[in-house]
Amino acid sequence: MKKNTIELDKNKLPSHVGIIMDGNGRWAKNRNMLRTNGHEEGLKRAKEITKAAADLGISYLTLYVFSTENWKRTEQEVGFLMNLIHTHLIKELLFYKENQIRIKLLGDISGLPKTIQADIKEAESDTESFSGLTLNLAINYGGRNEIIRAIKKISEKKVDLSSISEDSFSEYFDIPELPDLDLLIRTGGEKRLSNFLMWHSAYAELVFSDTLWPEYTKECFISDINEYQNRTRRFGAVPV
């Protein structure tokens, strides 16, 4: 039987989509596998969804790869995740080039291992001229941490605080040009933000999916965008 397909309105696509990729560990546990197997499978889904976003013409996709709180996990799991990031950034340049995907880091790069810092800087440099989707990898990232670091930058530059506005404040974030989130998707059944893009998600539409991340498909992604397109965004105003 042919699957029903959803036709998206290309004129109402979200400009910026953020995804909290949750459920790798539970997916692996359900199959009596190691958590690391879940992370490996989750990486495959991340690549597929990135390609789908690029094909749709979405401008920005932010993936929550590793939070400032994830350091609390076991040393073995943290080491595996760092190696997974390292391997991915090295071997996927051709994929990014073919799809004109530009890589940007969101997070405190100073808190990452030196090898990962070098990998990220190289990936950003190698893709900076690409004109398609901008893929923001949130690594060692926390929304509150980003805000605190922005305040410290303002203090160090001795900026006149009376001149600070919402727009000028955002100039001190990790990616100053990054627009607010239009759509925030969280997989895995949990319904919380987990310190993800706290400033940028002020008026984001939230979609919580029960699907574990390793099982999240392109069809799931399109369905969630369709959900977004069927909502009325008011931004605090009263609809006429």
Side-chain angles (χ1 to χ4, degrees):
M1 181 181 294
K2 187 177 180 179
K3 293 182 178 179
N4 292 325
T5 57
I6 296 173
E7 292 294 332
L8 295 176
D9 183 346
K10 293 299 180 69
N11 295 314
K12 293 177 62 178
L13 288 173
S15 175
H16 182 192
V17 178
I19 304 180
I20 301 174
M21 305 176 292
D22 195 13
N24 290 345
R26 281 171 286 159
W27 179 88
K29 183 178 179 181
N30 291 344
R31 288 161 177 75
N32 295 315
M33 301 166 70
L34 297 174
R35 288 178 59 85
T36 51
N37 295 130
H39 294 314
E40 288 177 330
E41 194 64 26
L43 182 59
K44 296 176 185 177
R45 298 293 85 71
K47 183 177 178 179
E48 290 176 10
I49 298 306
T50 297
K51 178 68 164 61
D55 289 345
L56 285 170
I58 290 171
S59 298
Y60 298 89
L61 175 66
T62 301
L63 300 180
Y64 208 2
V65 178
F66 190 91
S67 77
T68 49
E69 289 75 34
N70 286 157
W71 297 106
K72 299 173 185 176
R73 298 186 178 186
T74 66
E75 183 177 346
Q76 179 185 12
E77 184 172 357
V78 169
F80 180 86
L81 287 168
M82 288 296 121
N83 185 62
L84 201 61
I85 293 168
H86 168 73
T87 303
H88 173 78
L89 289 172
I90 289 176
K91 77 175 187 178
E92 294 297 351
L93 178 59
L94 181 59
F95 167 74
Y96 295 131
K97 184 176 181 180
E98 288 175 343
N99 294 282
Q100 286 293 291
I101 296 170
R102 185 173 59 152
I103 300 297
K104 299 286 286 184
L105 171 74
L106 191 64
D108 185 1
I109 192 170
S110 68
L112 292 169
K114 297 295 184 183
T115 54
I116 303 298
Q117 291 185 35
D119 294 334
I120 290 168
K121 290 176 181 177
E122 183 174 354
E124 288 183 322
S125 176
D126 288 343
T127 64
E128 64 181 353
S129 64
F130 296 166
S131 57
L133 170 76
T134 296
L135 175 63
N136 307 303
L137 299 176
I139 305 173
N140 195 28
Y141 178 82
R144 290 178 174 179
N145 177 268
E146 182 181 24
I147 292 171
I148 292 298
R149 287 187 288 108
I151 293 171
K152 289 180 178 179
K153 291 175 188 176
I154 290 171
S155 176
E156 290 167 0
K157 293 188 176 183
K158 296 180 169 39
V159 177
D160 179 8
L161 296 182
S162 65
S163 69
I164 295 293
S165 65
E166 290 186 10
D167 289 337
S168 64
F169 184 69
S170 64
E171 293 174 6
Y172 297 92
F173 285 153
D174 295 337
I175 306 176
E177 70 275 17
L178 186 64
D180 284 350
L181 270 178
D182 294 306
L183 171 61
L184 192 160
I185 299 168
R186 179 170 187 149
T187 63
E190 303 291 353
K191 295 178 174 62
R192 54 178 175 270
L193 298 182
S194 295
N195 202 16
F196 180 58
L197 290 173
M198 303 303 290
W199 179 278
H200 301 79
S201 62
Y203 281 100
E205 295 298 321
L206 309 180
V207 174
F208 297 105
S209 170
D210 290 331
T211 304
L212 299 177
W213 178 247
E215 298 173 342
Y216 190 83
T217 63
K218 175 183 176 180
E219 289 71 29
C220 296
F221 185 54
I222 290 174
S223 178
D224 287 342
I225 293 176
N226 183 62
E227 165 71 17
Y228 163 86
Q229 293 189 338
N230 282 289
R231 295 185 184 180
T232 300
R233 305 187 75 195
R234 300 186 178 89
F235 300 97
V238 176
V240 178

